[in-house]
Amino acid sequence: MSTLALGGSEAAATRGGPPAWVRHADLGLLALALAAFLLAGWPLLGYAAAAAAWIVQHMIFVYAHRRALEALRRGDRRLAMGAIGAATLGRVWIVTLSILLVGLLGDRDAGLAAALLSLALVTAHFAALGFSRFLYPEEAAP
């Protein structure tokens, strides 16, 4: 028998933390945005720039979060803070530079589309983080 069958839904909820759809709501919005860009006729260059930057920064976020958790488990708060701080600065630069470059080298409308999509993605990301911290406070403080 599985642990879900033995322990019920409470055991499943405490085992894995926030569900994937909460942790990655921003990626779901990114997928939905492609349909919106196609249907509305918005510049696909803006979507491509924002999507590429967002996926790269998301991978950096996941890596830094895992590294910070490992450092905290070892009791190394300085390394944990350094990983999160460096990743945050890097992530901001990646998204900002992609918007700037697509606006300058491509088309101003594509830059605006990339900026608006990035704003929506940042909002969804922070909302998902807040939602998961609210529903799963034990996962927020390892």
Side-chain angles (χ1 to χ4, degrees):
M1 281 187 127
S2 72
T3 56
L4 178 60
L6 294 173
S9 60
E10 288 181 23
T14 58
R15 197 169 18 102
W21 68 269
V22 172
R23 289 190 317 263
H24 305 297
D26 54 339
L27 297 178
L29 177 63
L30 184 61
L32 289 174
L34 178 59
F37 269 71
L38 290 171
L39 291 174
W42 296 331
L44 288 179
L45 179 62
Y47 177 84
W54 193 259
I55 290 169
V56 167
Q57 76 80 29
H58 192 78
M59 290 187 310
I60 292 170
F61 169 73
V62 169
Y63 174 75
H65 184 71
R66 287 180 183 162
R67 185 164 178 178
L69 286 176
E70 290 170 5
L72 286 175
R73 285 187 190 111
R74 291 190 313 265
D76 190 355
R77 290 188 172 279
R78 184 177 297 222
L79 178 62
M81 290 297 293
I84 295 297
T88 301
L89 288 173
R91 292 169 53 215
V92 168
W93 275 102
I94 288 169
V95 173
T96 303
L97 285 175
S98 72
I99 294 168
L100 182 64
L101 287 175
V102 77
L104 291 175
L105 300 176
D107 178 313
R108 291 180 75 105
D109 290 338
L112 177 62
L116 293 175
L117 176 57
S118 296
L119 177 64
L121 291 169
V122 166
T123 302
H125 175 71
F126 283 130
L129 280 177
F131 189 64
S132 63
R133 294 287 195 303
F134 178 72
L135 290 179
Y136 301 94
E138 66 280 353
E139 296 293 321

